[in-house]
Amino acid sequence: SLRINNVVNQTNTTITKDAVNRFNVSGIMEGRFLWNVTCFDSLGRNGTSPTYVLTTDVTPPGVTLVSPLNASNFTTNTVTFGWNATDGVDTNISCNLTIDGLVAAEGIGATNSSLTTRTVQNLGLGVHLWNVTCIDDANNRNTSQTWQFNITNLVPQVTAVSPANNTWTSNQSVLFSYNISEPDDRLFDTSRNYSAMIVYANLTGAGVNPIPKYRIWNGTGWSAEASMTTAGSPIRWGKMATSTTL
C-alpha cells in the first residue's frame, strides 16, 4: 500500500518480487508530502519503507523589480539593484541579474518574499536595460519586466593624499596633494582648463609666505607657478575648478 501523508492512497496486490514496482498517482496538488510503502507477505508479516519527502511545485516564482526605479538617472557607475522573488512552495530561490542582455551576476540566493540586492560596478555611460530571472528547486523559472536606467555626467573621483587626516606639523609651508581619476576608465579631459593651488598657512614670522600659489592647465601642461593676491583671514582651502580662475 502507498501511503501519502499517512493516508492510504493506493493498494496493489500484483507484486513482482525483487523488482521495481510502481504506483501511478495523478492530480497531486502543490505542496510538501510524506510518502512510504507497506508490503505484506503470504504469512501476514509486513515491512515498511523509509519515509521520503516529495515536494510538488508547478508554479514559477514571481519576480518584482524594486530598484533602481524604471528610467532612473545616475551620475555614478556603481548601481545597486533590488528585487523581490516569491514562491508559494519553495523557500530556496536562485536568481540571475541580467544587464544589457548579459548575465552580470548569477546564482544569487533570494529569500522568499524578501528584498534581494546586488551591487554592480564599472557600468558604462548611457542607457542600460536590466531584468532578473529566478529559478526554484523544481526548475520553474520566471523573468521579471525589463527596466532601464541611464548613467550620465560621471564626476571625477578626487582623493586627498597628504597631509593625512588629523596630521600635526611644525612646518609652516605645507604641500597638499591629491589623486584624481575618471570613472569608467575615461582619461582626464585635458581639453578643458583646470586650476590647482598650493596653500600656505597664513602665519607671521620669517620665511613664511602668506600668498597662495597656483598653476593653470593650458591643455598640454601646467603653467609656471604664480602668486595669487588675497586679502583677509588666513587661506585654509583649495579648489579644483573647470576654469582658469580659482
Side-chain angles (χ1 to χ4, degrees):
S1 297
L2 169 66
R3 286 180 172 267
I4 299 177
N5 289 347
N6 207 31
V7 176
V8 174
N9 181 272
Q10 293 184 29
T11 298
N12 184 10
T13 58
T14 305
I15 302 299
T16 301
K17 183 180 178 181
D18 297 326
V20 176
N21 294 267
R22 294 179 173 86
F23 291 103
N24 187 10
V25 181
S26 60
I28 298 178
M29 303 295 292
E30 286 191 320
R32 182 175 181 271
F33 303 92
L34 305 177
W35 72 278
N36 57 36
V37 175
T38 299
C39 294
F40 295 83
D41 63 15
S42 59
L43 300 177
R45 296 174 299 187
N46 69 79
T48 300
S49 71
T51 298
Y52 282 5
V53 177
L54 168 67
T55 302
T56 303
D57 185 0
V58 299
T59 304
V63 188
T64 303
L65 302 183
V66 176
S67 62
L69 295 177
N70 195 24
S72 293
N73 291 306
F74 292 93
T75 57
T76 175
N77 61 357
T78 298
V79 177
T80 297
F81 301 87
W83 64 91
N84 283 329
T86 57
D87 194 290
V89 178
D90 199 355
T91 58
N92 184 28
I93 306 170
S94 178
C95 299
N96 297 337
L97 170 63
T98 299
I99 301 175
D100 296 332
L102 300 176
V103 175
E106 61 182 342
I108 305 168
T111 301
N112 195 355
S113 301
S114 297
L115 178 66
T116 300
T117 61
R118 178 56 58 98
T119 298
V120 178
Q121 299 177 324
N122 299 319
L123 293 165
L125 289 170
V127 176
H128 299 274
L129 304 178
W130 72 285
N131 58 42
V132 175
T133 298
C134 292
I135 309 160
D136 63 23
D137 283 329
N139 207 33
N140 300 307
R141 64 177 58 215
N142 190 24
T143 300
S144 70
Q145 294 179 317
T146 297
W147 283 3
Q148 71 177 38
F149 63 94
N150 186 27
I151 296 179
T152 182
N153 296 327
L154 293 176
V155 297
Q157 305 298 309
V158 183
T159 304
V161 176
S162 64
N165 190 28
N166 295 320
T167 294
W168 287 62
T169 181
S170 60
N171 293 326
Q172 293 181 310
S173 180
V174 180
L175 175 65
F176 294 84
S177 61
Y178 56 90
N179 284 333
I180 182 168
S181 63
E182 286 282 7
D184 199 31
D185 296 327
R186 290 179 293 121
L187 295 176
F188 192 71
D189 185 2
T190 56
S191 65
R192 302 160 66 185
N193 290 325
Y194 287 87
S195 299
M197 181 171 65
I198 299 174
V199 181
Y200 299 86
N202 190 8
L203 304 175
T204 59
V208 175
N209 187 348
I211 306 300
K213 304 293 185 179
Y214 70 94
R215 295 175 184 268
I216 301 297
W217 180 262
N218 61 17
T220 59
W222 295 101
S223 67
E225 183 180 79
S227 297
M228 173 177 284
T229 59
T230 184
S233 60
I235 299 297
R236 301 192 182 278
W237 54 270
K239 183 171 99 171
M240 200 65 184
T242 55
S243 71
T244 57
T245 303
L246 285 170

